[in-house]
Amino acid sequence: MHQRILILDYGSQVTQLIARRVREAGVYCEIHPGDVDPAFVAEQAAQGGLKGIILSGSHASAYAEDAFSVPANVFDVKVPVLGICYGMQSMAQQLGGEVSFSDHREFGYAEVRAHGHTRLLDGIEDFRTPEGHGMLKVWMSHGDKVTALPPGFKLMASTPSCPIAGMADEERGFYAVQFHPEVTHTLQGQALLTRFVREICGCEGDWNMPDYVSEAVARIREQVGDDEVILGLSGGVDSSVAAALIHKAIGDQLTCVFVDHGLLRLNEGEQVMATFADAMGVRIIHVDASEQFLGKLVGVEDPEAKRKIIGREFVEVFQAEAGKLKSARWLAQGTIYPDVIESAGGKTGKAVAIKSHHNVGGLPDTLNLKLLEPLRELFKDEVRKLGIALGLPPAMVYRHPFPGPGLGVRILGEVKKEYADLLRRADAIFIEELRGTVDTVSQQTWYDLTSQAFAVFLPVKSVGVMGDGRTYDYVVALRAVQTSDFMTADWAQLPYALLAKVSSRIINEVRGINRVVYDVSSKPPATIEWE
């Protein structure tokens, strides 16, 4: 059994990032609802291996009547506890401190002064003031604040507008911070969380992807038994790694179904079949359902409606194909953590939904297949590490992610075949130029320097001039982002010369497009995809 950290989730959109940081420190962790029965916490402690507990943030207020309470015995099981944002406020409230509404809310960048030389922050700083105070550059997101420390606690950090931005009772191993160490905007966040789990909690760091492979294979074999599994293969990173993992576990009990829904990238079908059927020896069925999908999308403009229609049609295709397999009992999906958290489909169900994903929830009662989701607890970077550990080629593993609904969510408004044909050609040009352009400083291609890049079709026309004639054609937007976790992302500052070349090629080579724009929005407040 791995040493582990228990993360109690109170509905923050970035709770999953806590898990990602803990795993980066080489420590196994599990996320469970923040209001679990105290008996569960006691059982976790009794099993052995529980080394610490982290309390997440939340959109709620700790002093509200319907506030989520931390199980009381969290503070009695004799392991260190770290409260983050709401977790800090709830800790303070339940241990005898005071929390109240703040008349000066903090959302975004802040500079925090460290106090008291606590074990958690000792030696961790970004800069020092002329007076010699250690300072941290952090990310805040709160409208409430702790106004009185609980008995036994001392001040650990402060800002001018938040006098108690961190507190600690080191005798009991209780620490809390008002800022979010899990997000990349807190520069020393990884160092802080690593300090907590490795030094304060005493974890040895026995979590790594090669070991995870053998554990995941064993779990799949135990779960599936002699049943057959059907997997929807898109050619993207997630479904590809899921296919490789399940194939390693059960071999020919797995049948992959590659569905061409008419919304794939240029030459996607041929590439997928060549890679999996020929190179990997995976059993794969190619289904051309483009007319079925596009027919169902006629007249539909709402992005949520499009996602749900595409998800429903996927299920119907899988059901039809599964019916041809005598022992098919499982539908495997490449669902990963960011899908779950954005759909508010995590174990708590308390997060505020951002958008639905076709592979998260929404499965009809008539589906006669059980779900197998071996990647559900992993982040994108962990999925890539898993792919490498499974022996998949780096070019496949580090391919940019592609949404399950495909171009259906990159065509704004109604989806038409004409729009899809224009978009896939424009997108192919963009990706080709990113792959072919090398950054002079890093000597990497801009495809490798961006985490995700694609074109978006805008259903508007603009006036243009080509030769001596007037044009009135469509517009595409280019989107490229850089991120380490896909929960937050910055727009990629591509060279002007590269953007100019991409724009020129698209306008000259794709008849029907006469204008190209570049998206300079970060996440948040925008999402990576437009729909």
Side-chain angles (χ1 to χ4, degrees):
M1 178 185 293
H2 288 287
Q3 295 177 330
R4 66 192 182 282
I5 298 294
L6 174 62
I7 300 171
L8 295 183
D9 179 18
Y10 294 94
S12 168
Q13 291 293 340
V14 292
T15 296
Q16 314 303 334
L17 294 186
I18 303 173
R20 181 178 177 276
R21 304 298 179 211
V22 171
R23 290 175 189 172
E24 282 189 346
V27 176
Y28 177 69
C29 58
E30 295 178 358
I31 297 178
H32 292 276
D35 57 354
V36 293
D37 192 288
F40 171 79
V41 177
E43 180 185 354
Q44 287 280 304
Q47 286 177 355
L50 180 64
K51 303 294 287 185
I53 298 173
I54 299 178
L55 312 175
S56 85
S58 175
H59 54 279
S61 294
Y63 52 77
E65 289 186 9
D66 59 348
F68 312 125
S69 295
V70 176
N73 61 342
V74 160
F75 304 110
D76 297 324
V77 293
K78 309 297 184 185
V79 297
V81 181
L82 172 65
I84 296 173
C85 195
Y86 176 88
M88 169 173 164
Q89 295 166 12
S90 189
M91 179 187 291
Q93 183 93 356
Q94 292 182 225
L95 295 181
E98 294 180 8
V99 179
S100 64
F101 175 78
S102 176
D103 56 5
H104 188 101
R105 300 185 300 171
E106 289 182 301
F107 293 97
Y109 175 81
E111 294 180 354
V112 170
R113 175 185 166 185
H115 296 267
H117 302 288
T118 60
R119 190 177 177 193
L120 182 66
L121 297 182
D122 188 28
I124 297 178
E125 61 186 45
D126 288 305
F127 67 96
R128 283 189 168 265
T129 66
E131 297 78 20
H133 302 311
M135 303 292 290
L136 294 169
K137 297 180 179 181
V138 305
W139 187 262
M140 290 279 198
S141 182
H142 67 102
D144 299 328
K145 63 182 179 181
V146 175
T147 52
L149 291 169
F153 279 77
K154 66 179 181 180
L155 182 66
M156 184 170 66
S158 67
T159 71
S161 59
C162 185
I164 305 177
M167 62 183 193
D169 179 343
E170 296 202 277
E171 185 175 333
R172 291 187 287 176
F174 297 161
Y175 298 85
V177 293
Q178 186 58 66
F179 55 89
H180 287 268
E182 69 270 33
V183 301
T184 56
H185 302 78
T186 297
L187 301 187
Q188 299 294 332
Q190 182 66 60
L192 185 155
L193 287 168
T194 299
R195 169 76 57 79
F196 178 72
V197 300
R198 295 294 293 270
E199 298 182 27
I200 294 175
C201 295
C203 294
E204 297 174 357
D206 60 353
W207 168 254
N208 58 76
M209 206 46 67
D211 286 349
Y212 180 82
V213 172
S214 59
E215 294 170 9
V217 165
R219 279 199 303 270
I220 292 168
R221 288 173 178 167
E222 181 181 359
Q223 191 174 2
V224 171
D226 295 328
D227 293 339
E228 290 189 16
V229 177
I230 185 171
L231 179 144
L233 184 61
S234 70
V237 177
D238 303 333
S239 65
S240 298
V241 174
L245 178 61
I246 297 170
H247 186 253
K248 181 178 180 65
I250 60 174
D252 285 346
Q253 289 172 243
L254 170 68
T255 298
C256 292
V257 177
F258 174 65
V259 179
D260 183 349
H261 49 27
L263 299 168
L264 300 173
R265 290 170 286 198
L266 193 66
N267 300 323
E268 182 98 33
E270 295 87 342
Q271 293 171 5
V272 168
M273 294 301 294
T275 299
F276 287 90
D278 299 340
M280 294 178 58
V282 176
R283 289 173 57 182
I284 183 167
I285 299 169
H286 186 182
V287 181
D288 184 354
S290 55
E291 290 187 7
Q292 176 181 338
F293 278 81
L294 293 174
K296 297 289 186 179
L297 291 168
V298 171
V300 180
E301 297 185 357
D302 179 72
E304 283 295 283
K306 289 193 293 185
R307 286 177 178 272
K308 288 173 181 175
I309 288 170
I310 292 170
R312 185 186 67 223
E313 296 307 308
F314 263 114
V315 171
E316 289 190 5
V317 171
F318 291 145
Q319 280 184 292
E321 294 303 323
K324 302 173 186 177
L325 300 172
K326 217 177 227 187
S327 302
R329 297 290 182 272
W330 299 86
L331 169 63
Q333 296 186 148
T335 308
I336 64 173
Y337 254 165
D339 300 338
V340 175
I341 191 64
E342 288 197 336
S343 297
K347 294 175 181 176
T348 67
K350 292 174 180 172
V352 176
I354 302 298
K355 61 186 178 184
S356 64
H357 289 260
H358 82 279
N359 58 340
V360 180
L363 297 175
D365 294 334
T366 56
L367 180 63
N368 297 316
L369 297 171
K370 293 176 286 186
L371 277 178
L372 178 64
E373 299 175 311
L375 310 182
R376 189 181 176 89
E377 304 297 327
L378 301 182
F379 284 95
K380 181 70 72 174
D381 59 325
E382 291 182 310
V383 172
R384 296 189 196 280
K385 291 176 183 176
L386 176 58
I388 294 297
L390 287 166
L392 294 176
M396 176 193 297
V397 171
Y398 288 96
R399 188 182 188 193
H400 286 186
F402 188 61
L407 301 182
V409 291
R410 292 179 178 175
I411 297 171
L412 302 195
E414 183 180 6
V415 176
K416 297 181 179 180
K417 184 178 184 302
E418 169 199 357
Y419 298 167
D421 290 339
L422 291 173
L423 179 57
R424 77 177 98 248
R425 291 167 59 201
D427 184 78
I429 290 171
F430 186 28
I431 298 303
E432 181 182 327
E433 291 300 332
L434 287 172
R435 288 188 183 277
T437 305
V438 176
D439 173 54
T440 55
V441 177
S442 67
Q443 294 302 305
Q444 292 180 281
T445 70
W446 274 100
Y447 183 85
D448 292 328
L449 289 172
T450 54
S451 307
Q452 191 168 358
F454 53 90
V456 178
F457 182 87
L458 308 184
V460 295
K461 287 188 172 183
S462 68
V463 174
V465 177
M466 291 187 181
D468 295 324
R470 174 185 183 275
T471 63
Y472 190 57
D473 289 325
Y474 291 106
V475 181
V476 293
L478 305 179
R479 176 74 157 147
V481 299
Q482 294 173 316
T483 176
S484 60
D485 49 43
F486 288 85
M487 298 297 288
T488 61
D490 294 318
W491 63 275
Q493 298 186 34
L494 300 181
Y496 291 157
L498 172 57
L499 290 171
K501 186 175 182 181
V502 171
S503 175
S504 176
R505 282 196 59 192
I506 290 174
I507 292 172
N508 282 286
E509 297 176 30
V510 184
R511 185 177 296 274
I513 296 174
N514 71 352
R515 193 177 297 270
V516 176
V517 299
Y518 188 54
D519 181 352
V520 294
S521 309
S522 292
K523 175 186 180 180
T527 55
I528 294 176
E529 297 285 349
W530 277 43
E531 287 194 342

